[in-house]
Amino acid sequence: MKTYQGIKYTREHEWARVEDGLVYVGISDFAQNALGDIVFVELPNPGKSLKAGEQASVVESVKAASDIYSPVSGTIVKVNEALEDTPELLNAEPYENWIVALEPENLSEMDALMDEQQYGDFCAKEA
Amino acid sequence: MADKINERQVNSIDNGRAELEDRRQIEQNNREQAMLIFEMSRDGRRAYSLPACDVPVKEGLIPDAFARRRDADLPQVSEVDVARHYTRLAGRNHGVDSSFYPLGSCTMKYNPKINEEIASLDGFTGVHPYQNEESAQGSLQVLYEMDRMLSEITGMKRVTLQPAAGAHGELTGLMIIGAYHRSRGDAARTKIVVPDSAHGTNPASAAFAGFEVVEVKSNPSGGVDIEDLKLAVGQDTAGLMLTNPNTLGLFDENIEEIARIVHDAGGLLYYDGANANAIMGICRPGDMGFDVVHLNLHKTFSTPHGGGGPGSGPVGVKEELVPFLPVPVVECENDRYWLDYDRPQTIGRVRSFYGNFGVVLKAYAYIRTMGPDGLKNVSELAVLNANYMMKRLEDSFDIPYKRICMHEFILSNKKQEHNGVRTLDIAKRLLDFGYHPPTVYFPLIVHEAMMIEPTETESKETLDSFVDALISIAREAENEPDRVRKAPYTTVVSRLDEVKAARNPVLKWGD
């Protein structure tokens, strides 16, 4: 399983990364592997405000549809429209392909998430 | 019989050159079987001949904007082509009338033919929903008695028969729960608690009814995690939706404590009746502490299921919720039946007329045929059959929750996984033995789950031959895993590319 430094992870297998003041959110390699081939990504409308833990998107694979929760509170400013036609990007390069980008309310919420080491241990227990 | 033919086909496929001709024949048959009616089309071939039109043709009847510019691209085939094509397709249906159908969580039980006989009696088929009450007393009596019988079975005060399916019943029940809280000035109860093992319809129905969904975890033995539940409930809890036995096929033994926790917080308990086939005549949701129940007549009460229905999802409620039931409610006084619309607190109508009356009628016939002892026997046999199969499979397959199950049980592929054999492969291989595979990849909380529900009507011989098929697949997975991974071999189409079908669906013929 691949993980990356500088990226934070949730217990629901989302990842979050800060760039130019925005929080980019995607799903982890563990998540894409568990879901199997992803066939559809439901993207929210930019401008939507979310609290940490609220549903930001839905990712559908041949096995199941899974809610994607926002790791931090904030307002969605961008969605990755490439996923509309090529949802399989999430399988191929889960860390290169974000789903939504949020303007965070409070960046310190990132501190509550797991780092690479903690997430690796967490997944080892789940598997 | 079908199983034997399939087995022979499989063997003949694998036995090398001598059988090559057979194999070609099978493949050719399959190709013909899979032919689309468009591929049978030949220019000028037709299934009718009409005389020339002998009245003047009136032009301009269809506004120009809606008139077709070129002929529709319909297949040109003869009547016998059409008859054979659709008869062939119909023959490829799989149903409980053709073979074993162990689809866990779905209760695909046999539909006794007497139900159909009763439902096709003239007095019922000729009745019209706009008839006055006096002339439809017999039909109203069926509805009233069904309410009484289902109330008795579930431990509820009254039952509405209007909801047209299980999920519709869920929506109705949740609307009743919402109306109850609002009537008490308790409008801040906006959350419905749902366990992580629940059917997907539960959170969907709760969201559709305007509630927020809060998930609670399962404990290691498969029941609701009590500590997690205590944290989840509060002054904003409208209710808890629970399936018991749950979707793991396990009876939640803490149900009384669960009910107490939810009631103490001011919430109500909703019983998802998907698994009622395990409990009839043995225990009742009302006695467990539930306030609202839905049943699926198309599961537990033997009316046809699958193929889109029609279904029926009656909802039962305890006394304090009766005022909120949808209208009309069938009442009876001095042997006269009538429809009560004068119910100020009702949530209103949830369905036109009186629900899927024909379905209710078939379920009524079933309950009256079985009687109380018969229904109890149904549940006892459903549970016994499931446990018998689970026991026979325990050496060949991983059983994630090793305790006595109810009417269904779960296997996983853990013993086959090291050879790269997935649950999907096992399910596909079962097709070669002539069986409909069990439910797979549900419940979501079990990795690579297979969920088997035999129902009560199956003989020991049927259970044994299905178990034998699974055991031989487990053996194959060990010795020749590739054979399982590439199954099926005897079906009209082999392994389909589900990913491609989902990503790039082709939904029409031609351009």
Side-chain angles (χ1 to χ4, degrees):
Chain A
M1 184 191 80
K2 282 188 289 188
T3 54
Y4 281 88
Q5 277 189 342
I7 295 184
K8 293 294 196 93
Y9 301 87
T10 69
R11 299 169 70 87
E12 310 286 347
H13 305 284
E14 291 93 8
W15 59 254
R17 159 170 70 78
V18 184
E19 197 179 309
D20 297 334
L22 296 183
V23 176
Y24 289 80
V25 179
I27 59 169
S28 72
D29 190 43
F30 182 93
Q32 71 81 16
N33 196 35
L35 281 168
D37 291 300
I38 290 164
V39 294
F40 183 70
V41 182
E42 187 182 302
L43 297 168
N45 290 325
K48 190 176 175 188
S49 291
L50 294 172
K51 291 211 179 67
E54 284 187 343
Q55 182 196 323
S57 159
V58 182
V59 169
E60 211 176 305
S61 75
V62 283
K63 279 196 244 166
S66 301
D67 289 341
I68 304 303
Y69 304 102
S70 182
V72 295
S73 308
T75 305
I76 294 174
V77 290
K78 286 194 288 185
V79 298
N80 186 355
E81 283 167 11
L83 298 176
E84 276 180 1
D85 290 330
T86 43
E88 58 268 36
L89 289 173
L90 293 182
N91 290 120
E93 294 286 355
Y95 296 108
E96 302 300 317
N97 293 286
W98 50 280
I99 300 172
V100 297
L102 298 120
E103 172 102 56
E105 266 171 34
N106 181 359
L107 256 185
S108 67
E109 281 182 343
M110 289 286 288
D111 299 341
L113 305 178
M114 288 179 275
D115 64 19
E116 186 201 358
Q117 174 79 42
Q118 290 165 326
Y119 181 64
D121 295 345
F122 175 74
C123 290
K125 256 184 255 165
E126 287 242 311
Chain B
M1 185 68 182
D3 312 347
K4 288 211 178 78
I5 291 168
N6 283 327
E7 277 266 56
R8 203 165 62 219
Q9 285 183 345
V10 176
N11 290 336
S12 76
I13 286 167
D14 295 331
N15 284 349
R17 299 184 63 86
E19 313 275 348
L20 204 60
E21 280 308 304
D22 277 1
R23 181 182 182 157
R24 285 211 182 100
Q25 189 60 49
I26 291 171
E27 281 174 0
Q28 191 191 326
N29 291 348
N30 284 350
R31 259 198 310 280
E32 276 171 25
Q33 287 266 319
M35 201 182 241
L36 302 177
I37 195 161
F38 287 96
E39 293 171 308
M40 298 162 66
S41 179
R42 294 293 177 272
D43 279 348
R45 196 168 285 171
R46 53 176 56 197
Y48 64 89
S49 57
L50 294 177
C53 184
D54 60 356
V55 292
V57 175
K58 179 135 171 68
E59 297 292 341
L61 275 176
I62 299 171
D64 203 44
F66 301 116
R68 186 178 266 289
R69 301 271 168 256
R70 60 184 182 89
D71 286 344
D73 187 14
L74 298 176
Q76 301 185 56
V77 286
S78 66
E79 182 176 325
V80 67
D81 289 339
V82 176
R84 285 184 187 152
H85 180 71
Y86 287 105
T87 304
R88 192 157 56 218
L89 285 182
R92 274 157 54 189
N93 278 328
H94 186 104
V96 278
D97 281 0
S98 33
S99 182
F100 189 47
Y101 203 157
L103 205 56
S105 186
C106 289
T107 311
M108 306 302 283
K109 68 157 76 174
Y110 177 69
N111 317 134
K113 299 306 167 220
I114 190 170
N115 298 354
E116 307 296 324
E117 292 274 325
I118 300 296
S120 41
L121 291 175
D122 288 347
F124 292 124
T125 55
V127 76
H128 191 282
Y130 282 137
Q131 262 174 251
N132 62 33
E133 289 166 5
E134 291 314 319
S135 67
Q137 285 290 301
S139 294
L140 291 178
Q141 183 179 354
V142 166
L143 292 172
Y144 183 81
E145 288 183 4
M146 192 64 168
D147 166 356
R148 302 318 316 135
M149 295 191 299
L150 295 178
S151 294
E152 185 182 339
I153 291 167
T154 55
M156 294 287 137
K157 184 72 179 173
R158 294 300 300 265
V159 169
T160 174
L161 300 166
Q162 283 189 34
H168 193 191
E170 290 178 29
L171 179 65
T172 304
L174 288 162
M175 287 167 70
I176 290 171
I177 289 175
Y180 167 78
H181 289 309
R182 281 193 302 278
S183 78
R184 295 158 44 98
D186 207 357
R189 295 193 175 272
T190 55
K191 292 184 178 166
I192 291 286
V193 181
V194 177
D196 60 4
S197 64
H199 289 111
T201 46
N202 288 178
S205 300
F208 201 76
F211 292 104
E212 204 179 310
V213 177
V214 183
E215 191 175 275
V216 289
K217 297 215 172 320
S218 299
N219 63 27
S221 60
V224 172
D225 186 318
I226 296 288
E227 293 311 311
D228 207 33
L229 177 65
K230 283 181 186 163
L231 292 175
V233 298
Q235 297 199 332
D236 54 1
T237 303
L240 166 80
M241 295 181 88
L242 197 67
T243 313
N244 195 23
N246 64 20
T247 57
L248 301 166
L250 304 173
F251 190 85
D252 201 317
E253 290 151 352
N254 298 322
I255 182 57
E256 285 174 338
E257 192 180 354
I258 292 167
R260 195 171 43 73
I261 291 168
V262 175
H263 283 151
D264 284 353
L268 297 177
L269 272 88
Y270 182 98
Y271 183 92
D272 178 328
N275 293 338
N277 211 41
I279 62 158
M280 284 186 293
I282 295 164
C283 59
R284 310 192 302 172
D287 301 333
M288 295 178 209
F290 286 94
D291 305 289
V292 186
V293 174
H294 93 259
L295 296 167
N296 301 283
L297 299 186
H298 49 280
K299 294 184 180 185
T300 319
F301 297 95
S302 86
T303 68
H305 186 180
S312 178
V315 170
V317 296
K318 287 267 179 74
E319 184 153 20
E320 63 273 23
L321 298 175
V322 170
F324 307 100
L325 284 174
V327 283
V329 172
V330 185
E331 297 289 7
C332 173
E333 260 168 54
N334 304 325
D335 288 339
R336 181 185 167 270
Y337 299 91
W338 54 286
L339 295 162
D340 181 11
Y341 288 90
D342 183 21
R343 306 178 68 86
Q345 289 189 289
T346 175
I347 60 165
R349 267 192 177 283
V350 297
R351 170 80 162 66
S352 54
F353 301 123
Y354 319 105
N356 282 335
F357 178 69
V359 180
V360 172
L361 189 53
K362 291 175 196 180
Y364 176 89
Y366 179 69
I367 294 174
R368 294 296 302 267
T369 312
M370 303 305 289
D373 293 339
L375 289 180
K376 186 177 180 194
N377 197 225
V378 161
S379 287
E380 287 170 345
L381 285 176
V383 171
L384 180 65
N385 285 356
N387 278 285
Y388 173 74
M389 292 177 82
M390 184 170 77
K391 186 76 190 160
R392 276 207 60 202
L393 287 163
E394 69 181 4
D395 292 335
S396 307
F397 289 90
D398 170 60
I399 296 172
Y401 296 93
K402 254 196 170 152
R403 45 184 268 207
I404 290 183
C405 67
M406 296 296 285
H407 63 309
E408 58 191 357
F409 62 99
I410 294 175
L411 306 176
S412 92
N413 74 331
K414 219 172 230 169
K415 291 187 178 173
Q416 287 74 38
E417 203 168 22
H418 66 276
N419 278 333
V421 173
R422 302 175 54 218
T423 283
L424 182 72
D425 304 322
I426 297 167
K428 294 285 184 191
R429 185 68 175 126
L430 270 171
L431 296 173
D432 287 329
F433 291 81
Y435 293 110
H436 192 290
T439 298
V440 294
Y441 299 100
F442 182 85
L444 301 173
I445 57 173
V446 174
H447 182 62
E448 296 271 321
M450 262 174 281
M451 182 165 220
I452 298 174
E453 176 178 2
T455 80
E456 67 281 1
T457 51
E458 303 304 322
S459 67
K460 181 170 177 297
E461 289 75 16
T462 302
L463 302 180
D464 278 333
S465 54
F466 182 79
V467 166
D468 290 343
L470 268 177
I471 290 174
S472 76
I473 293 170
R475 210 176 298 126
E476 269 178 9
E478 202 51 46
N479 302 328
E480 340 162 47
D482 233 27
R483 185 154 149 181
V484 184
R485 281 201 297 258
K486 290 182 181 153
Y489 305 97
T490 59
T491 47
V492 170
V493 289
S494 54
R495 189 74 69 101
L496 298 172
D497 187 342
E498 293 177 359
V499 177
K500 191 171 180 200
R503 283 182 184 156
N504 304 304
V506 178
L507 302 174
K508 62 174 194 169
W509 169 258
D511 48 290

